[in-house]
Amino acid sequence: MTVNGKTRRWVLRLPNNYDRTKPHRLIFGVHWRDADYQAVDGGSAPYYGLRALANNTAIFVSPDGLNKGWANSGGEDITFFDNIIKAVSDDLCINEKQIFSLGFSYGGAMSYSLAFEWV
């Protein structure tokens, strides 16, 4: 995906039993500073352990920050998340009233910024 002329990476994980007719929660897992989207998507507790707790009831997305962070210069990271939501909702069945973001450290700060945008 290209945002403001910059290529942005992200990964999407569907529930094993994904049903196109049932609206699903959309949950973003946002990485900490000096990490990347693969750190949240992989490891021993993907998506901070929430993916396992969701028990195949949610769609998960791990976006990649520019320069391993979330400076959000000129709102470009917010735009990135908004573009991901549009792309996912165009192709999949999501519950637009149940879009969440979680993160650690810098990822937590970015999730906090998103909360102000999405209210």
Side-chain angles (χ1 to χ4, degrees):
M1 168 180 297
T2 302
V3 178
N4 295 341
K6 298 172 186 168
T7 301
R8 304 295 300 263
R9 302 178 300 174
W10 55 290
V11 65
L12 174 93
R13 299 292 178 205
L14 295 176
N16 292 335
N17 57 351
Y18 176 73
D19 179 351
R20 182 174 285 282
T21 65
K22 177 186 172 215
H24 290 75
R25 289 172 294 184
L26 178 61
I27 303 173
F28 287 93
V30 188
H31 66 78
W32 52 97
R33 185 176 175 170
D34 294 328
D36 63 18
Y37 69 108
Q38 294 171 326
V40 172
D41 185 58
S44 61
Y47 298 88
Y48 305 101
L50 192 57
R51 188 161 181 223
L53 292 173
N55 196 27
N56 283 305
T57 62
I59 297 168
F60 285 86
V61 172
S62 180
D64 202 19
L66 294 171
N67 303 312
K68 297 193 173 201
W70 300 103
N72 196 33
S73 298
E76 66 186 342
D77 290 326
I78 298 288
T79 301
F80 178 38
F81 280 81
D82 289 343
N83 288 356
I84 292 172
I85 291 170
K86 178 160 181 9
V88 172
S89 63
D90 283 351
D91 290 335
L92 302 171
C93 187
I94 66 166
N95 183 336
E96 293 185 4
K97 294 186 184 285
Q98 291 193 354
I99 299 174
F100 305 97
S101 180
L102 70 150
F104 171 75
S105 190
Y106 213 177
M110 186 63 209
S111 293
Y112 188 76
S113 296
L114 290 166
F116 280 103
E117 295 294 322
W118 293 346
V119 174

